[in-house]
Amino acid sequence: MDNKPGSNLSVFQPAITSPQPKARIVLISILSMALLNGCATPHYQPPDAPAALVVSETEQQQSEALQHRLAQQLRLSRVSWPLLTANAEICADQVRPLLGFQFGNSHTFGSVTASEATTDSSDKTAVTTLRDSAIRTFGLGEALQILTVVPGSPADQSGIQPGDRLISLNQQSFLTGKAATADASERFRQFKPQSSADLKSAPPAIKLQLYRQQQLLTVRLQPVNGCDYPLVIINSDAINAFADHRSIFITEGMLDFASDDRDLALVLAHELAHNVLAHVPATSRNGLIGTGIDLLLWSHGIPSPGAFTIGGLNSYSKAFESEADYISLYLLARANYPLAGGADFWRKMSHSRPAHIQSQNGQSHPGSADRFVRMQAAIEEIVDKQQRQLPLAPTIRP
């Protein structure tokens, strides 16, 4: 063995190794405490908040949030009612009898808030708390209860009031508990028109038994046919609304932005027009045609990674938006909404989206300046037809 000095230092010197796990944790903790001691600290603190007051304020804010959401839903129903009922014959097979009230029970509110929650346990606790708040605020229980009534609707004309409890429909008792809302919704839908001929006659009258202030009441309602596109509020600050050929979605941000009912009616009419004109299926078909071209090119060794699919989806996007703008004005006119000044909505929109004032190639929607000018011309066209007592039918242009 060679023992010359310096030939094997590792034998005589300790190896340099990283700290053991426990030592590493201690070192990290010491360094963390040293860094935290260097953090800036506040100099002033508000008075202590008594736990009981925090609980009381929490319940108050939850109650106000629920009432605000219900008020938003009622506003949507009130503004959309003339649109959905006046244009029923245009909605073809997407028609159902409308009564003009919203109902639910304690479980209904639980499921609504649950759809906004995540898998976090704290959110699940919040869902339970909001449901408890709904029970306290609206006096909800296991039985179905009227929550809102649309002014001028059959429910309003029959004297139905928020707080009334639903007992039976045509002498058949409603369910209670978790399944009650879905079961009642399906039973009300059974009166849906079966053919276009049914649209020309009024839906059959129904008989509701209600419980109000310890009294049983029986009311007769005459439903009216309306477009069957449910209105859904999305919990988002974005200023947006869209349609998927089955429903109409509108964000809380758009509800706040369209604070004037006339503006909200324009937004809803635009999305209704998308559904009536079947723009979503048409866009899907265009995308499929583009996909076919991509596959054909690929089969011949020419790569086109989704280019024609994307092109198909976007090929008539702006034209579909302009068409929906145009038809929406006719839908509004048929519902007796005033059209004067309606195009001003796009001037308001330009305040929030100045980048969309001009129409750029990359945008899927026309610019707000273009939309204003076109809609202003369409309004003049409709007003001229109204003055000459011509049918309110859109003009077909190549």
Side-chain angles (χ1 to χ4, degrees):
M1 180 181 289
D2 187 357
N3 286 330
K4 291 192 236 180
S7 63
N8 192 358
L9 293 178
S10 62
V11 175
F12 302 99
Q13 296 181 359
I16 299 176
T17 60
S18 60
Q20 295 299 314
K22 290 184 179 179
R24 188 184 298 114
I25 294 174
V26 172
L27 179 60
I28 292 174
S29 299
I30 292 174
L31 290 173
S32 299
M33 291 301 297
L35 290 172
L36 287 173
N37 287 333
C39 292
T41 58
H43 297 289
Y44 307 98
Q45 291 289 339
D48 290 336
L53 285 180
V54 173
V55 171
S56 177
E57 180 61 22
T58 299
E59 293 178 353
Q60 175 69 21
Q61 291 188 20
Q62 288 173 340
S63 175
E64 291 182 2
L66 288 171
Q67 292 182 70
H68 175 67
R69 173 56 65 87
L70 205 61
Q72 284 182 318
Q73 193 66 54
L74 177 58
R75 182 186 175 216
L76 267 183
S77 299
R78 175 174 53 78
V79 174
S80 66
W81 181 267
L83 278 170
L84 299 179
T85 54
N87 295 292
E89 63 182 84
I90 299 177
C91 291
D93 57 342
Q94 288 297 116
V95 174
R96 67 182 175 91
L98 301 180
L99 296 169
F101 62 77
Q102 182 182 5
F103 59 87
N105 61 9
S106 59
H107 300 282
T108 306
F109 267 84
S111 63
V112 170
T113 52
S115 66
E116 300 173 358
T118 67
T119 55
D120 191 339
S121 59
S122 62
D123 285 327
K124 293 178 181 179
T125 302
V127 168
T128 303
T129 306
L130 285 173
R131 183 183 168 209
D132 292 341
S133 179
I135 294 173
R136 290 192 304 270
T137 303
F138 305 122
L140 297 176
E142 297 294 306
L144 293 173
Q145 183 171 311
I146 301 295
L147 300 174
T148 64
V149 178
V150 179
S153 67
D156 183 41
Q157 295 171 0
S158 298
I160 294 178
Q161 301 175 8
D164 290 348
R165 305 202 174 193
L166 293 170
I167 304 301
S168 68
L169 169 61
N170 291 340
Q171 299 182 339
Q172 292 186 351
S173 298
F174 287 106
L175 296 182
T176 59
K178 291 183 178 181
T181 302
D183 177 74
S185 298
E186 186 61 32
R187 289 173 59 184
F188 282 122
R189 293 180 69 87
Q190 70 183 339
F191 304 105
K192 181 181 177 71
Q194 301 300 314
S195 66
S196 57
D198 293 342
L199 293 175
K200 298 179 181 179
S201 58
I206 66 172
K207 186 181 294 185
L208 278 180
Q209 193 174 43
L210 308 169
Y211 185 72
R212 178 193 304 166
Q213 298 178 351
Q214 300 181 345
Q215 287 186 339
L216 281 175
L217 303 174
T218 300
V219 297
R220 183 180 180 276
L221 285 86
Q222 179 59 62
V224 294
N225 287 324
C227 298
D228 187 13
Y229 294 113
L231 304 171
V232 182
I233 298 176
I234 298 178
N235 185 20
S236 170
D237 292 333
I239 302 175
N240 194 22
F242 58 93
D244 66 352
H245 199 55
R246 293 183 299 273
S247 302
I248 294 174
F249 301 86
I250 186 165
T251 63
E252 291 181 329
M254 178 59 84
L255 283 171
D256 292 337
F257 179 80
S259 57
D260 187 282
D261 284 353
R262 183 186 63 178
D263 290 342
L264 179 58
L266 177 65
V267 172
L268 296 177
H270 177 87
E271 302 307 331
L272 177 60
H274 274 310
N275 283 340
V276 168
L277 296 168
H279 281 166
V280 170
T283 300
S284 298
R285 286 195 300 273
N286 292 344
L288 287 175
I289 293 173
T291 301
I293 297 175
D294 282 326
L295 292 174
L296 179 63
L297 293 173
W298 178 80
S299 67
H300 286 76
I302 304 174
S304 60
F308 285 92
T309 299
I310 297 173
L313 292 173
N314 294 331
S315 58
Y316 290 100
S317 178
K318 290 182 181 179
F320 285 157
E321 289 299 326
S322 294
E323 186 179 34
D325 283 343
Y326 180 54
I327 298 301
S328 69
L329 295 172
Y330 277 91
L331 299 179
L332 287 168
R334 289 169 58 89
N336 292 321
Y337 268 105
L339 299 182
D344 290 343
F345 174 82
W346 293 110
R347 286 180 171 172
K348 296 177 187 177
M349 185 66 79
S350 69
H351 301 168
S352 301
R353 298 178 177 177
H356 293 176
I357 293 176
Q358 291 181 297
S359 180
Q360 305 297 330
N361 290 333
Q363 294 178 4
S364 60
H365 290 54
S368 57
D370 180 84
R371 298 179 90 161
F372 174 88
V373 173
R374 287 177 179 270
M375 290 184 68
Q376 190 68 22
I379 290 173
E380 293 173 2
E381 171 187 298
I382 295 173
V383 171
D384 177 67
K385 289 180 180 180
Q386 289 174 325
Q387 291 175 345
R388 293 195 290 160
Q389 298 182 345
L390 297 175
L392 287 180
T395 302
I396 298 177
R397 296 180 177 88

